[in-house]
Structure formats: structure tokens, C-alpha cells
Amino acid sequence: MPSTMRKPFNYLETAAVQAAMKRARTGQAGQVGPDPALHSEDAELRWVEAVLRHRLSLHSLDRPVGIRAQNDDTHPLVANGRHFPAVALTIPFADRTLDFLATYNDRGRLTFDVIAPCAQCGKPVPTEEINSLEDLGDYLLQARDTLGGSPRLRTSPAHATDCLARGN
């Protein structure tokens, strides 16, 4: 196989690309309903994983998708004035893994960002907000007209201290 060709998409990648293409054709995103409720603070990692599964409609796929969740001590997670570590999630794909960071946005809603190298300093930072299967498909396709970036890119403490992409 020539080095310029990617390995074939796996079933999650295929579903995400198909969802993105459907949204591009119809202008309508899939409806997933409200996020699962948090039943206990002890289950924060499982809850964040459940929300990501819900937002990406992983329950609708034919095969299970493995997700690993762990605390991310680099990025703060602030909810209702309380500080927690953010949650790092990893999803395996056919030829790589995709890393996500779960944090709250300025409206107190849990958001998911793809973690990728910063274009300026190369450090792993939140680069693209992904909150639906369609968003994931757009990211995989690198559909520049629909990607909006992550509002948390400039505020990530993971940047090198002299990185120009880091906000002041």
C-alpha cells in the first residue's frame, strides 16, 4: 500500500463520516436527546464516558466501541465553583487512537475536544470541539468549512510557556 494511502476506516469512523455527509446534504444533525444524568459523584469517569457515548450515538452502532477514561490533571474542570481534574478519554481507531478532553464550557455544559498537537508548539492541546457523531465525521474528513476549533485551545495550560497560540 503506498504510504500516502490511509488504512480503511473502521465502523465508528465510517458511521461518523456517513453522519457528517448526511448533515452536509440535509442540513440537519441527528437528534440524541438530553445527556444521561449524573447519579453519584463517585462515578464521574463513568458518567463522562456515558455522555460521550450518548453524544456520539455509539449505542446505535453494530459493535461495541471501547473507551478508556482517566483523570487529566493538566486541564482544570470547574463545575459550580468546584474544581475537579478534567477527564481524558481515548477511543481506538483502525490506525490510531483519538484522544478527547471533557471539560465544561462557559455555560456549564460538558464539552468534548479532540486533543492534538498545537500547530505552534506541538504540545497536545484541545483543538476541535466534538459533540456529535457528525462533528466527529467532519473532523475525520477535515471539513474545514464546518470545523470551528475549540474555544479551549488558547486557554489550555498544556501549551509551551512561550507558545503564540496560548491566550494571555
Side-chain angles (χ1 to χ4, degrees):
M1 178 185 308
S3 62
T4 57
M5 293 181 65
R6 286 190 70 227
K7 291 182 182 177
F9 283 158
N10 72 8
Y11 57 96
L12 174 56
E13 291 171 304
T14 300
V17 167
Q18 288 173 346
M21 291 171 44
K22 180 179 178 185
R23 177 171 67 181
R25 276 193 315 275
T26 66
Q28 296 178 346
Q31 301 296 319
V32 295
D35 288 337
L38 177 61
H39 296 292
S40 128
E41 300 236 0
D42 301 337
E44 183 79 23
L45 291 176
R46 287 191 310 274
W47 174 71
V48 171
E49 179 185 334
V51 172
L52 182 62
R53 285 182 183 284
H54 174 73
R55 298 250 186 100
L56 297 182
S57 302
L58 299 183
H59 61 278
S60 67
L61 298 178
D62 293 337
R63 299 181 209 154
V65 174
I67 297 177
R68 188 180 80 228
Q70 62 189 38
N71 287 333
D72 176 331
D73 295 324
T74 304
H75 296 87
L77 179 60
V78 179
N80 302 322
R82 295 174 57 199
H83 292 264
F84 304 95
V87 177
L89 301 121
T90 302
I91 299 177
F93 284 82
D95 59 348
R96 67 191 182 289
T97 59
L98 197 56
D99 297 314
F100 290 87
L101 180 70
T103 59
Y104 288 100
N105 65 14
D106 57 356
R107 294 184 311 269
R109 183 171 192 256
L110 190 64
T111 61
F112 298 94
D113 293 300
V114 170
I115 298 293
C118 171
Q120 299 291 322
C121 68
K123 299 290 186 180
V125 296
T127 56
E128 191 65 45
E129 189 171 312
I130 305 290
N131 285 300
S132 70
L133 190 61
E134 294 87 354
D135 292 346
L136 180 59
D138 286 339
Y139 177 78
L140 294 171
L141 291 169
Q142 288 298 293
R144 297 280 177 213
D145 57 332
T146 56
L147 296 175
S150 170
R152 287 152 295 281
L153 170 69
R154 293 182 46 81
T155 60
S156 174
H159 285 286
T161 53
D162 60 345
C163 181
L164 299 175
R166 188 178 194 158
N168 295 330

